[in-house]
Amino acid sequence: MKKTIGFWRSWALVVGTMIGSGIFLIPSVLAPYGSISLLGWFLTAFGALLIALTLGSLSTRVEKEGGPYAYCHELIGPAVGFFMGWGLWVSFWLAIAASSLAFSGYVSAMFPLFDHEGVFRTLISLLLVWCLASFFLLGIRGVGFLQLLTTILKLMPLLLIPALGFLYGDQSLSETLVYNKEVGFFEQISKVILITMFAFLGIEVATIPANETINPKKTIHRALFFGLLSVSFVYFFATMGVWLALPTDALSNSPSPFADAAEILIGPIGATVITIGIMISIIGSMNGSLLAAVLLPQSMASDKLFPKMFQDKNKYEAPWKSLAIVVMLISVVLLLGSTTNLVTYYEKLLILSTLTAILPFAACAIAELVLQVRERHSHSINIFTLLRALGALIFSVCMIIGGGLESVIYGAFILAAGAPIYLRYKRTNR
């Protein structure tokens, strides 16, 4: 099969998947946290950089499709590899469901006649997921092109609206940065880091289609690093700009903060244009996550840890059975939350998606440490690599703890749900 993903498409997978629904709805979720949110963005960006560098290093050492799953499978063992792959797979389709909800919120902003709650929201979310799945059936080359196109288009609203917010926003920065001092600082900063980390999910997507990437050892490492730098700048700039444009009370309850900010700063026509740009951005993020969600179980199936049908492809080399199962699961998640408030359900999916993705990141940091120990006789231990992996591990563990007991329990149940599949295929492979 001809490789079609070069540096720019790989960079677009990183940037395009990370910059999705997260940054377009997270300013509303973070509004009550004030200045703690800014500190959270900085800490999350630094932690994400450690994770990116760790993934980039592993991508040069393990030549196999599957990203974090493949690294854990090869360096720690099949059992750890399976459960990390399972958690990451669940994280992808939960993230797609959350992104589709954000999309429906912006549709309701364009067409006020339709409410962003209830049946309409669910129908729009389902329709978007099914349309992207239909496009995916035409092959991965088209998916890569769509990712690059939407990544370029999405930068317009993310840079324009915050810039106007800095220039013409009339909100007091001192009032915007006020936070609730009645709640403990550690409790708030832990929650903020967990929420903002959702906006960085997708950093691992470029590592998964290694078999379709041109010169993967060099391309993936560079795409991860430069992609993260690009995204970190955009996130901080965008959050501050929207905060300066909207009052905190209005922002906290807004299902479409960028569109609301655009209407104040530009007017109804500008808000419509910006909303379309944001919707394109969300499509790009979902497109990248869908690619990963479909290809990851294919890699696990090749190791005989997942049903063989996940490897079945159509004439365009698209794993259509894997795609069908992912779409079905996303549809179920959306239907289950059809009667819940959009922002509330979005936040629940956000936290669960983040927790199930963070554990594989922690495992990858351990895999890097294992690699260092294995090679200590042939190569001297690299102190920088060691500290970087330890930093990524500590950051990941702190985020898991910060999710709170309830979220951790839900995450544990999600991982445990994969145990029957692992036990079945482990017996089969004996």
Side-chain angles (χ1 to χ4, degrees):
M1 182 174 63
K2 183 179 179 181
K3 297 187 176 185
T4 59
I5 301 177
F7 170 75
W8 286 111
R9 290 189 181 184
S10 188
W11 172 86
L13 277 174
V14 175
V15 176
T17 305
M18 281 197 284
I19 300 180
S21 66
I23 186 57
F24 292 118
L25 199 53
I26 279 178
S28 295
V29 180
L30 292 182
Y33 297 97
S35 58
I36 291 180
S37 299
L38 299 183
L39 177 60
W41 274 125
F42 277 119
L43 293 176
T44 306
F46 179 73
L49 178 62
L50 295 177
I51 291 171
L53 292 174
T54 298
L55 292 175
S57 174
L58 290 172
S59 72
T60 65
R61 312 296 290 277
V62 179
E63 298 184 47
K64 184 179 179 181
E65 186 168 83
Y69 156 73
Y71 309 149
C72 294
H73 181 275
E74 295 298 309
L75 297 173
I76 303 179
V80 174
F82 172 84
F83 284 103
M84 296 307 98
W86 172 267
L88 199 57
W89 183 57
V90 173
S91 173
F92 286 138
W93 46 264
L94 287 178
I96 295 168
S99 297
S100 70
L101 288 178
F103 182 89
S104 68
Y106 277 96
V107 171
S108 67
M110 281 189 66
F111 304 101
L113 179 64
F114 300 105
D115 191 7
H116 63 267
E117 303 293 351
V119 176
F120 173 75
R121 178 192 81 189
T122 304
L123 288 176
I124 290 297
S125 299
L126 288 171
L127 182 62
L128 176 59
V129 171
W130 296 339
C131 286
L132 282 175
S134 299
F135 185 78
F136 194 103
L137 289 172
L138 298 177
I140 293 176
R141 182 180 181 87
V143 173
F145 174 77
L146 178 63
Q147 192 68 15
L148 183 58
L149 177 63
T150 55
T151 299
I152 294 171
L153 292 175
K154 74 175 58 183
L155 293 177
M156 181 187 71
L158 276 171
L159 297 177
L160 177 60
I161 295 304
L164 294 175
F166 275 101
L167 293 173
Y168 303 111
D170 58 2
Q171 300 304 308
S172 169
L173 189 60
S174 59
E175 293 180 5
T176 302
L177 296 179
V178 172
Y179 65 92
N180 185 1
K181 296 182 180 179
E182 295 179 2
V183 181
F185 174 80
F186 180 76
E187 181 181 346
Q188 291 190 72
I189 193 66
S190 299
K191 188 72 173 290
V192 167
I193 291 175
L194 191 64
I195 291 171
T196 51
M197 187 61 198
F198 178 77
F200 286 95
L201 294 185
I203 192 171
E204 74 284 359
V205 168
T207 67
I208 292 175
N211 291 345
E212 287 78 26
T213 302
I214 301 168
N215 191 7
K217 285 188 176 182
K218 181 179 179 181
T219 299
I220 292 175
H221 193 280
R222 291 173 59 215
L224 289 171
F225 180 74
F226 288 108
L228 182 68
L229 290 184
S230 303
V231 168
S232 298
F233 167 75
V234 170
Y235 281 173
F236 182 78
F237 182 67
T239 301
M240 286 294 294
V242 172
W243 278 2
L244 291 172
L246 291 174
T248 301
D249 291 341
L251 183 59
S252 299
N253 297 300
S254 173
S256 50
F258 274 77
D260 292 345
E263 186 165 3
I264 292 174
L265 296 168
I266 306 175
I269 295 178
T272 300
V273 173
I274 293 301
T275 299
I276 293 173
I278 292 170
M279 290 162 67
I280 291 172
S281 174
I282 294 174
I283 290 172
S285 177
M286 292 175 64
N287 182 62
S289 293
L290 187 61
L291 174 69
V294 171
L295 293 184
L296 178 56
Q298 176 183 283
S299 178
M300 296 172 71
S302 69
D303 289 324
K304 298 180 180 180
L305 290 176
F306 234 53
K308 188 178 179 181
M309 65 178 178
F310 280 85
Q311 293 181 286
D312 293 346
K313 298 181 180 181
N314 64 12
K315 65 179 182 179
Y316 299 107
E317 294 294 319
W320 69 276
K321 289 184 179 179
S322 179
L323 176 66
I325 292 172
V326 168
V327 170
M328 180 189 69
L329 291 168
I330 295 169
S331 300
V332 169
V333 170
L334 291 171
L335 290 170
L336 289 174
S338 59
T339 59
T340 307
N341 173 267
L342 186 150
V343 175
T344 301
Y345 196 53
Y346 176 87
E347 184 175 354
K348 288 182 180 178
L349 293 177
L350 177 155
I351 292 174
L352 281 177
S353 178
T354 304
L355 281 173
T356 50
I358 287 301
L359 194 55
F361 293 158
C364 284
I366 294 173
E368 179 77 90
L369 295 173
V370 168
L371 191 61
Q372 285 286 305
V373 172
R374 282 183 184 176
E375 296 182 344
R376 67 186 184 279
H377 298 300
S378 56
H379 300 85
S380 59
I381 293 179
N382 188 313
I383 299 300
F384 173 74
T385 300
L386 188 66
L387 292 176
R388 181 192 65 210
L390 284 172
L393 177 61
I394 293 170
F395 175 75
S396 300
V397 171
C398 287
M399 284 193 36
I400 293 170
I401 296 173
L405 181 60
E406 182 180 358
S407 297
V408 170
I409 291 174
Y410 279 131
F413 273 121
I414 289 173
L415 289 179
I421 297 177
Y422 173 73
L423 293 175
R424 179 192 171 188
Y425 284 91
K426 180 182 178 182
R427 286 195 296 268
T428 302
N429 294 335
R430 284 178 177 174

